[in-house]
Amino acid sequence: KNEVEQSPQNLTAQEGEFITINCSYSVGISALHWLQQHPGGGIVSLFMLSSGKKKHGRLIATINIQEKHSSLHITASHPRDSAVYICAVNRGSQGNLIFGKGTKLSVKP
Amino acid sequence: GAGVSQSPSNKVTEKGKDVELRCDPISGHTALYWYRQRLGQGLEFLIYFQGNSAPDKSGLPSDRFSAERTGESVSTLTIQRTQQEDSAVYLCASSLGFLGLYEQYFGPGTRLTVT
């Protein structure tokens, strides 16, 4: 069993829809990261969080440490949000990331 | 400022040859990480460096893989006697510090194809 599980694997939405991507993990962590990978392959860090909730523009990330679960929400989705969204964790005090398999999001106009 | 840079961006090599991949981290970042992403698969950790501490090599898949870092700057990932299963995008990332408390900044990757 993977230490970081994401769902869904693939997601297709219409422009304007509210989107939720889920991430569950089975290890103790010091931080959880949400990353975005565009079709060209570049990876951008969206959020790093260890508790509560963070918001950047239309993106919101939440984490529940007790339940070992995080969600990434996108409000008013747009075709430019189409990308692979990756959940990753720092296990314990380790610096390296352990990754989920990613969620491929396609937003149709 | 300048981000993480990697070279070459693409590398095609014949099976059995050695390759060197280079990473230039963001200036001042003490931690440097190597990951790889095989086609259609998730990212895998390979090795990381933190300051002058011994590197964590626990993710290296075989003894054909090695990496070095000069101080807190450039790192080189070397793959000896390349195999077809080594074909992947090799990504480098750096962060200001360690212990999972810092955001990681990724380079554009080196796409390695072993023929």
Side-chain angles (χ1 to χ4, degrees):
Chain A
K1 187 178 183 299
N2 292 331
E3 292 170 301
V4 181
E5 299 275 1
Q6 283 185 241
S7 63
Q9 279 190 309
N10 292 280
L11 181 56
T12 300
Q14 288 299 125
E15 184 173 357
E17 285 185 357
F18 180 83
I19 288 163
T20 295
I21 299 170
N22 294 298
C23 176
S24 296
Y25 53 92
S26 57
V27 294
I29 67 169
S30 54
L32 183 142
H33 303 248
W34 282 102
L35 309 170
Q36 181 190 55
Q37 185 172 32
H38 275 284
I43 295 176
V44 174
S45 176
L46 298 175
F47 294 102
M48 186 184 77
L49 63 167
S50 54
S51 65
K53 176 179 175 179
K54 287 189 176 181
K55 184 176 188 290
H56 290 156
R58 295 180 295 107
L59 302 179
I60 303 166
T62 64
I63 188 169
N64 184 317
I65 297 295
Q66 286 73 30
E67 295 186 4
K68 295 187 174 179
H69 181 270
S70 176
S71 293
L72 176 68
H73 305 286
I74 304 175
T75 62
S77 60
H78 190 275
R80 66 175 174 265
D81 297 326
S82 298
V84 175
Y85 292 84
I86 302 168
C87 174
V89 301
N90 291 101
R91 179 171 52 193
S93 60
Q94 293 179 335
N96 62 288
L97 295 175
I98 303 169
F99 300 88
K101 293 188 182 300
T103 295
K104 185 174 182 180
L105 171 65
S106 178
V107 182
K108 306 294 186 186
Chain B
V4 178
S5 61
Q6 293 186 245
S7 61
S9 54
N10 282 284
K11 176 73 176 178
V12 180
T13 190
E14 291 180 355
K15 177 181 170 181
K17 295 283 179 72
D18 298 352
V19 295
E20 282 189 355
L21 312 180
R22 177 186 167 108
C23 172
D24 281 272
I26 294 172
S27 177
H29 280 196
T30 61
L32 185 148
Y33 312 83
W34 283 99
Y35 302 101
R36 77 173 175 183
Q37 186 173 34
R38 296 185 195 177
L39 185 63
Q41 299 190 24
L43 286 142
E44 308 170 70
F45 162 69
L46 297 176
I47 184 171
Y48 72 78
F49 300 86
Q50 167 55 22
N52 294 320
S53 302
D56 182 332
K57 305 179 182 179
S58 60
L60 294 178
S62 79
D63 59 8
R64 296 185 296 104
F65 287 72
S66 63
E68 293 183 346
R69 186 180 186 194
T70 308
E72 292 187 351
S73 65
V74 171
S75 176
T76 302
L77 178 68
T78 301
I79 309 173
Q80 296 179 309
R81 305 182 302 282
T82 52
Q83 304 293 313
Q84 288 187 331
E85 65 261 25
D86 300 334
S87 295
V89 176
Y90 289 82
L91 290 150
C92 174
S94 70
S95 63
L96 264 176
F98 184 50
L99 295 178
L101 301 175
Y102 300 90
E103 187 175 0
Q104 294 189 20
Y105 295 81
F106 286 79
T110 293
R111 183 176 299 276
L112 174 67
T113 303
V114 182
T115 61

Tab-separated table of all heavy atoms in Angstrom, chain A residues 31-33 35 88-91 94-99, chain B residues 33 35 43-45 48 100 102 104 106:
chain	number	residue	atom	x	y	z
A	31	ALA	N	5.130	17.825	7.352
A	31	ALA	CA	4.460	18.776	6.463
A	31	ALA	C	3.858	18.027	5.281
A	31	ALA	O	4.319	16.944	4.917
A	31	ALA	CB	5.437	19.846	5.954
A	32	LEU	N	2.830	18.631	4.696
A	32	LEU	CA	2.212	18.101	3.478
A	32	LEU	C	2.264	19.189	2.414
A	32	LEU	O	2.078	20.378	2.710
A	32	LEU	CB	0.758	17.699	3.765
A	32	LEU	CG	-0.015	17.066	2.606
A	32	LEU	CD1	-0.931	15.948	3.108
A	32	LEU	CD2	-0.799	18.079	1.815
A	33	HIS	N	2.567	18.760	1.190
A	33	HIS	CA	2.718	19.697	0.082
A	33	HIS	C	1.710	19.366	-1.010
A	33	HIS	O	1.443	18.185	-1.280
A	33	HIS	CB	4.113	19.590	-0.532
A	33	HIS	CG	5.245	19.817	0.428
A	33	HIS	ND1	6.068	20.918	0.361
A	33	HIS	CD2	5.693	19.076	1.475
A	33	HIS	CE1	6.983	20.838	1.323
A	33	HIS	NE2	6.769	19.741	2.020
A	35	LEU	N	1.483	20.085	-5.055
A	35	LEU	CA	2.288	20.512	-6.191
A	35	LEU	C	1.437	20.472	-7.449
A	35	LEU	O	0.486	19.688	-7.544
A	35	LEU	CB	3.496	19.580	-6.366
A	35	LEU	CG	4.353	19.318	-5.122
A	35	LEU	CD1	5.352	18.197	-5.411
A	35	LEU	CD2	5.076	20.575	-4.698
A	88	ALA	N	2.215	15.437	-1.633
A	88	ALA	CA	3.479	14.870	-1.164
A	88	ALA	C	3.651	15.196	0.311
A	88	ALA	O	3.151	16.215	0.787
A	88	ALA	CB	4.651	15.434	-1.970
A	89	VAL	N	4.374	14.327	1.022
A	89	VAL	CA	4.573	14.553	2.456
A	89	VAL	C	6.036	14.424	2.816
A	89	VAL	O	6.798	13.694	2.159
A	89	VAL	CB	3.748	13.567	3.321
A	89	VAL	CG1	2.256	13.693	3.014
A	89	VAL	CG2	4.214	12.135	3.151
A	90	ASN	N	6.425	15.147	3.871
A	90	ASN	CA	7.705	14.930	4.528
A	90	ASN	C	7.433	13.943	5.652
A	90	ASN	O	6.722	14.260	6.604
A	90	ASN	CB	8.256	16.226	5.130
A	90	ASN	CG	8.664	17.215	4.098
A	90	ASN	OD1	7.937	18.170	3.811
A	90	ASN	ND2	9.840	17.010	3.529
A	91	ARG	N	7.991	12.732	5.538
A	91	ARG	CA	7.752	11.715	6.569
A	91	ARG	C	8.619	12.002	7.787
A	91	ARG	O	9.850	12.134	7.647
A	91	ARG	CB	8.070	10.330	6.012
A	91	ARG	CG	7.882	9.200	7.025
A	91	ARG	CD	8.004	7.853	6.358
A	91	ARG	NE	9.229	7.754	5.579
A	91	ARG	CZ	9.463	6.783	4.707
A	91	ARG	NH1	8.545	5.868	4.469
A	91	ARG	NH2	10.597	6.751	4.039
A	94	GLN	N	12.187	13.838	7.993
A	94	GLN	CA	12.964	13.730	6.771
A	94	GLN	C	12.698	14.902	5.830
A	94	GLN	O	11.586	15.408	5.747
A	94	GLN	CB	12.646	12.412	6.050
A	94	GLN	CG	13.121	11.188	6.820
A	94	GLN	CD	12.772	9.900	6.100
A	94	GLN	OE1	11.832	9.870	5.321
A	94	GLN	NE2	13.536	8.862	6.349
A	95	GLY	N	13.727	15.284	5.121
A	95	GLY	CA	13.583	16.400	4.198
A	95	GLY	C	12.994	16.015	2.867
A	95	GLY	O	12.324	16.812	2.220
A	96	ASN	N	13.239	14.746	2.447
A	96	ASN	CA	12.765	14.364	1.116
A	96	ASN	C	11.260	14.144	1.134
A	96	ASN	O	10.666	13.881	2.173
A	96	ASN	CB	13.460	13.093	0.636
A	96	ASN	CG	13.169	11.900	1.525
A	96	ASN	OD1	13.666	11.836	2.636
A	96	ASN	ND2	12.328	10.987	1.065
A	97	LEU	N	10.653	14.287	-0.037
A	97	LEU	CA	9.211	14.129	-0.180
A	97	LEU	C	8.856	12.713	-0.618
A	97	LEU	O	9.588	12.075	-1.372
A	97	LEU	CB	8.676	15.123	-1.212
A	97	LEU	CG	8.793	16.603	-0.834
A	97	LEU	CD1	8.333	17.483	-1.990
A	97	LEU	CD2	7.991	16.898	0.408
A	98	ILE	N	7.699	12.243	-0.132
A	98	ILE	CA	7.071	11.007	-0.611
A	98	ILE	C	5.805	11.441	-1.332
A	98	ILE	O	5.003	12.199	-0.774
A	98	ILE	CB	6.737	10.071	0.551
A	98	ILE	CG1	7.994	9.754	1.341
A	98	ILE	CG2	6.101	8.783	0.032
A	98	ILE	CD1	7.713	9.060	2.648
A	99	PHE	N	5.635	10.935	-2.554
A	99	PHE	CA	4.613	11.487	-3.439
A	99	PHE	C	3.424	10.554	-3.627
A	99	PHE	O	3.583	9.333	-3.670
A	99	PHE	CB	5.211	11.760	-4.826
A	99	PHE	CG	6.354	12.726	-4.824
A	99	PHE	CD1	7.649	12.272	-4.624
A	99	PHE	CD2	6.144	14.075	-5.022
A	99	PHE	CE1	8.720	13.160	-4.621
A	99	PHE	CE2	7.204	14.972	-5.023
A	99	PHE	CZ	8.489	14.509	-4.822
B	33	TYR	N	17.736	18.116	-3.527
B	33	TYR	CA	17.093	16.815	-3.677
B	33	TYR	C	17.123	16.383	-5.148
B	33	TYR	O	16.962	17.206	-6.040
B	33	TYR	CB	15.622	16.894	-3.242
B	33	TYR	CG	15.396	17.577	-1.915
B	33	TYR	CD1	15.321	18.964	-1.838
B	33	TYR	CD2	15.253	16.834	-0.746
B	33	TYR	CE1	15.114	19.596	-0.625
B	33	TYR	CE2	15.040	17.467	0.469
B	33	TYR	CZ	14.979	18.850	0.521
B	33	TYR	OH	14.778	19.480	1.738
B	35	TYR	N	15.053	13.669	-7.620
B	35	TYR	CA	13.915	12.779	-7.793
B	35	TYR	C	13.906	12.306	-9.244
B	35	TYR	O	14.538	12.901	-10.107
B	35	TYR	CB	12.598	13.520	-7.521
B	35	TYR	CG	12.459	14.137	-6.142
B	35	TYR	CD1	12.673	15.506	-5.947
B	35	TYR	CD2	12.106	13.367	-5.047
B	35	TYR	CE1	12.530	16.087	-4.694
B	35	TYR	CE2	11.966	13.942	-3.782
B	35	TYR	CZ	12.187	15.295	-3.621
B	35	TYR	OH	12.046	15.871	-2.370
B	43	LEU	N	6.440	10.450	-8.916
B	43	LEU	CA	7.801	10.864	-8.577
B	43	LEU	C	8.394	9.962	-7.504
B	43	LEU	O	7.708	9.541	-6.566
B	43	LEU	CB	7.774	12.308	-8.059
B	43	LEU	CG	7.559	13.359	-9.138
B	43	LEU	CD1	6.682	14.489	-8.639
B	43	LEU	CD2	8.901	13.893	-9.590
B	44	GLU	N	9.680	9.676	-7.650
B	44	GLU	CA	10.397	8.852	-6.672
B	44	GLU	C	11.598	9.629	-6.147
B	44	GLU	O	12.317	10.259	-6.928
B	44	GLU	CB	10.983	7.597	-7.321
B	44	GLU	CG	10.098	6.718	-8.116
B	44	GLU	CD	10.942	5.683	-8.862
B	44	GLU	OE1	11.505	4.778	-8.212
B	44	GLU	OE2	11.057	5.805	-10.092
B	45	PHE	N	11.825	9.534	-4.854
B	45	PHE	CA	12.986	10.146	-4.229
B	45	PHE	C	14.245	9.328	-4.549
B	45	PHE	O	14.227	8.101	-4.526
B	45	PHE	CB	12.772	10.208	-2.719
B	45	PHE	CG	14.020	10.401	-1.923
B	45	PHE	CD1	14.708	11.605	-1.976
B	45	PHE	CD2	14.505	9.392	-1.116
B	45	PHE	CE1	15.859	11.791	-1.234
B	45	PHE	CE2	15.656	9.560	-0.369
B	45	PHE	CZ	16.333	10.754	-0.431
B	48	TYR	N	19.232	13.068	-1.142
B	48	TYR	CA	19.267	14.487	-0.819
B	48	TYR	C	20.500	14.845	-0.006
B	48	TYR	O	21.088	14.006	0.685
B	48	TYR	CB	17.985	14.989	-0.148
B	48	TYR	CG	17.737	14.577	1.273
B	48	TYR	CD1	18.389	15.186	2.344
B	48	TYR	CD2	16.780	13.615	1.545
B	48	TYR	CE1	18.114	14.810	3.642
B	48	TYR	CE2	16.500	13.231	2.844
B	48	TYR	CZ	17.171	13.823	3.886
B	48	TYR	OH	16.893	13.451	5.175
B	100	GLY	N	11.856	19.144	6.604
B	100	GLY	CA	10.489	19.221	6.130
B	100	GLY	C	9.767	20.483	6.499
B	100	GLY	O	8.539	20.512	6.538
B	102	TYR	N	10.444	23.463	4.917
B	102	TYR	CA	10.651	24.449	3.871
B	102	TYR	C	10.085	23.973	2.549
B	102	TYR	O	10.160	22.795	2.196
B	102	TYR	CB	12.143	24.749	3.710
B	102	TYR	CG	12.780	25.302	4.965
B	102	TYR	CD1	13.337	24.451	5.908
B	102	TYR	CD2	12.785	26.672	5.214
B	102	TYR	CE1	13.909	24.949	7.058
B	102	TYR	CE2	13.352	27.177	6.361
B	102	TYR	CZ	13.901	26.316	7.289
B	102	TYR	OH	14.452	26.815	8.434
B	104	GLN	N	9.884	23.305	-1.344
B	104	GLN	CA	10.897	22.864	-2.302
B	104	GLN	C	10.616	23.505	-3.664
B	104	GLN	O	9.475	23.576	-4.111
B	104	GLN	CB	10.908	21.342	-2.418
B	104	GLN	CG	11.370	20.673	-1.117
B	104	GLN	CD	11.609	19.193	-1.237
B	104	GLN	OE1	11.790	18.651	-2.336
B	104	GLN	NE2	11.645	18.510	-0.106
B	106	PHE	N	11.458	23.283	-7.659
B	106	PHE	CA	11.886	22.265	-8.614
B	106	PHE	C	12.510	22.887	-9.856
B	106	PHE	O	12.070	23.942	-10.338
B	106	PHE	CB	10.685	21.411	-9.036
B	106	PHE	CG	10.238	20.451	-7.979
B	106	PHE	CD1	9.467	20.864	-6.910
B	106	PHE	CD2	10.598	19.112	-8.044
B	106	PHE	CE1	9.060	19.977	-5.920
B	106	PHE	CE2	10.196	18.214	-7.064
B	106	PHE	CZ	9.426	18.648	-6.005
